[in-house]
Amino acid sequence: MNEATEHLVAVGRLDDIPRQGARVVRTAFGDLAVFRTADDGVFALRNACPHRGGPLSEGIVHGRSVTCPLHNWVISLETGEVEGPDHGCTAVIGVSVADGVVRLDLSRLAAAMAVAAE
């Protein structure tokens, strides 16, 4: 294992995540939402909307965005930034998919979750 892959942690198989859906991964630093888009793109965000902390894993996935189930804020799955007239950002976690296995880059998880929670 090289330095680039030593922080990758397998969290499940791609087939475990429904298309346009999400699964929650619980960590010591808080929950992560792992999303799968209609075209099999996989993204991971802190499972909390930057507005009021709504569970993004329960939101609606469309394109490369998710709409928060509480107040309809739209968050980019690629950047974690809120889209449209609202402002905010949630932590983005690196994802790798190889041989059908989804792995998350947890190397900067503690710092990313702390900043996103501010």
Side-chain angles (χ1 to χ4, degrees), residues 13-36:
R13 299 201 51 84
L14 178 61
D15 292 341
D16 295 335
I17 308 169
R19 284 194 171 101
Q20 296 184 288
R23 290 290 184 254
V24 174
V25 174
R26 299 194 190 290
T27 76
F29 303 100
D31 291 351
L32 304 176
V34 182
F35 299 93
R36 181 179 177 187

Side-chain angles (χ1 to χ4, degrees), residues 93-111:
I93 308 303
V95 175
S96 171
V97 180
D99 299 323
V101 176
V102 178
R103 293 177 173 83
L104 300 182
D105 179 357
L106 303 182
S107 62
R108 291 171 284 172
L109 180 62

Side-chain angles (χ1 to χ4, degrees), residues 58-73:
E58 296 176 23
I60 298 170
V61 176
H62 47 95
R64 294 192 176 248
S65 302
V66 61
T67 297
C68 178
L70 295 186
H71 300 100
N72 296 325
W73 279 37

Side-chain angles (χ1 to χ4, degrees), residues 32-92:
L32 304 176
V34 182
F35 299 93
R36 181 179 177 187
T37 62
D39 62 357
D40 290 334
V42 180
F43 302 90
L45 302 175
R46 178 175 177 255
N47 190 26
C49 178
H51 178 222
R52 298 274 183 177
L56 294 177
S57 61
E58 296 176 23
I60 298 170
V61 176
H62 47 95
R64 294 192 176 248
S65 302
V66 61
T67 297
C68 178
L70 295 186
H71 300 100
N72 296 325
W73 279 37
V74 179
I75 292 92
S76 167
L77 296 173
E78 297 174 309
T79 66
E81 295 280 337
V82 173
E83 299 175 350
D86 302 311
H87 300 282
C89 185
T90 193
V92 176

